[in-house]
Amino acid sequence: MGMGIDSRRIIAKRAAQEVTDGMIVNLGIGIPSLIPEYVAKDVHVMFHAENGILGMGPSPGEGKEDSALCNAGGFPITLKEGASYFDSATAFGMIRGGYIDLSVLGGLEVSQRGDLANWIVPGKRVPGIGGGMELACKSKKVVVVMSHVDKGGKPKIVSSCSLPLTAKECVSKVITDMAVIAVTDKGLCLTEVMDPYTVQEVIDQTDAPLFISQHLT
Amino acid sequence: MKNKISTIKKALEPLRNGMVLMYGGFGGVGNPPSLIKSIVDSKVKDLVLIGNDASFPNIGIGRLVKEGRVKKLIASHIGSNPVAGSLMNEGKLEVEFSPQGILAERIRAGGMGLGGILTDVGIGTMVEKNKDTITIADKDFLIERPLRADVSIVYAKKADTFGNLIYDKSARNTNPLVAMAGSYTIAEAEEIVPAGELDPEMIVTPGLFIDKVVQSEGIDWTWAWE
């Protein structure tokens, strides 16, 4: 959403810290797909793709692509040891069954209760639901990565979503180019501020009440 | 045992205007390209399509949408085919969105002879509109209806003459489900072998689900990601 490549990489790098050893992880299209580059070498995880793969490896490099082997975004990938293929029903059975430890998704809006909107801007942008609803509802942990404000400068973290929802009360953390915000029982908690921004700037660009984590005050 | 090998033209003879056509594939990968090319050439129109997505404007099933042969599409997303989005916004194409895994499960239910599925995915969103709900043990579920098609088309790596199928890596995706949900199902295969040559332990789709097996003329999605 109008972000420079640097901002996207800063977000992906921070989001990579959410990935810990032994996890089953699903990454959405866009910024989430940059995350594997930043996962530490000693952190071993199985990446799940909703088009029917568990155990995706890195991109094969030019000329080595296999036309029948891609991730859910259609980009060529490789496999790591222990990987498997399965049909779409099984891929989503894994999601609904609660086997996905971490799901990182893009977002259009996140509310103070952790509601997520990320599939349609009526009359304008219609990418569709895809696998987002099930991933948002059923993953053990949902992290949303997105720009802090939209192209017009409007906050994307809001009291209540104005766009059609993907799922209610599903997000546990939002990572943006300005901040890391946790969704808690008490509301949104600002836990980290990205360089070069200040706490006040984050508050000004957020359209929902924020309480500030103790170590930032 | 029936020998189901057919030419593409003969296999597609039952297709009529207005029919429900279901297709395997995910983002173009696993759409049966030769069957789709022949359907585009056949001028059949007013189709109701059921599949994961609208592919790309010039790849796989996306071409049928682009050519204006589709009156309704039931899919999980259409983002990779901007023509589908434009037609929808102009009111020329009806689109019913289903969450991706629920769509897969509705297709599976259609093939497996079930009356529907119960799920909490979509509750509190636009997806619940006009759907019946049921409460079981204090938990609310949407009733999602099964999907079947007059004609299903799938892509396989290998088929034998009885229609047993083996798929190709992530090109498997929705194909095994779509294969079961057609009243008449055509499998396009990269390679066709005599019955008995495929290892029964490796067969993903048993041949009873398949009515015709046709030889693929080659895939068209290799550079779908570019």
Side-chain angles (χ1 to χ4, degrees), chain A residues 91-141:
Chain A
F92 280 89
M94 292 172 174
I95 297 168
R96 285 192 308 273
Y99 294 96
I100 307 297
D101 296 307
L102 172 68
S103 186
V104 187
L105 299 167
L108 295 170
E109 283 180 333
V110 174
S111 83
Q112 62 181 332
R113 289 184 310 275
D115 300 341
L116 171 66
N118 79 348
W119 74 275
I120 186 170
V121 181
K124 285 187 189 162
R125 200 159 155 262
V126 194
I129 301 165
M133 252 179 211
E134 283 126 316
L135 286 162
C137 289
K138 301 294 186 180
S139 302
K140 283 183 193 154
K141 183 176 180 185

Side-chain angles (χ1 to χ4, degrees), chain A residues 7-206:
Chain A
S7 296
R8 293 162 58 87
R9 293 199 166 274
I10 287 165
I11 295 170
K13 194 174 174 185
R14 173 58 189 83
Q17 292 174 26
E18 304 296 317
V19 179
T20 58
D21 200 47
M23 275 184 164
I24 307 290
V25 179
N26 185 293
L27 300 175
I29 295 165
I31 301 172
S33 67
L34 301 171
I35 292 171
E37 290 178 47
Y38 299 103
V39 174
K41 292 271 177 287
D42 58 346
V43 172
H44 300 285
V45 298
M46 291 297 255
F47 287 110
H48 170 271
E50 55 271 38
N51 58 331
I53 308 164
L54 182 64
M56 287 190 293
S59 157
E62 219 178 308
K64 290 184 182 161
E65 301 93 344
D66 182 326
S67 61
L69 183 51
C70 63
N71 65 16
F75 289 91
I77 50 132
T78 53
L79 291 189
K80 59 188 280 181
E81 281 171 14
S84 56
Y85 301 121
F86 34 85
D87 67 40
S88 296
T90 306
F92 280 89
M94 292 172 174
I95 297 168
R96 285 192 308 273
Y99 294 96
I100 307 297
D101 296 307
L102 172 68
S103 186
V104 187
L105 299 167
L108 295 170
E109 283 180 333
V110 174
S111 83
Q112 62 181 332
R113 289 184 310 275
D115 300 341
L116 171 66
N118 79 348
W119 74 275
I120 186 170
V121 181
K124 285 187 189 162
R125 200 159 155 262
V126 194
I129 301 165
M133 252 179 211
E134 283 126 316
L135 286 162
C137 289
K138 301 294 186 180
S139 302
K140 283 183 193 154
K141 183 176 180 185
V142 175
V143 172
V144 170
V145 291
M146 64 182 189
S147 58
H148 205 86
V149 299
D150 71 12
K151 275 184 204 162
K154 232 176 92 201
K156 291 168 74 172
I157 300 168
V158 294
S159 303
S160 170
C161 293
S162 60
L163 295 170
L165 290 187
T166 303
K168 281 181 161 178
E169 298 178 13
C170 60
V171 179
S172 62
K173 193 176 276 186
V174 186
I175 300 172
T176 75
D177 49 326
M178 293 184 79
V180 179
I181 293 171
V183 182
T184 73
D185 295 342
K186 292 181 282 178
L188 298 176
C189 178
L190 177 62
T191 58
E192 293 168 47
V193 175
M194 302 292 219
D195 196 44
Y197 299 101
T198 63
V199 169
Q200 190 55 47
E201 283 171 320
V202 175
I203 293 170
D204 291 346
Q205 299 295 326
T206 304

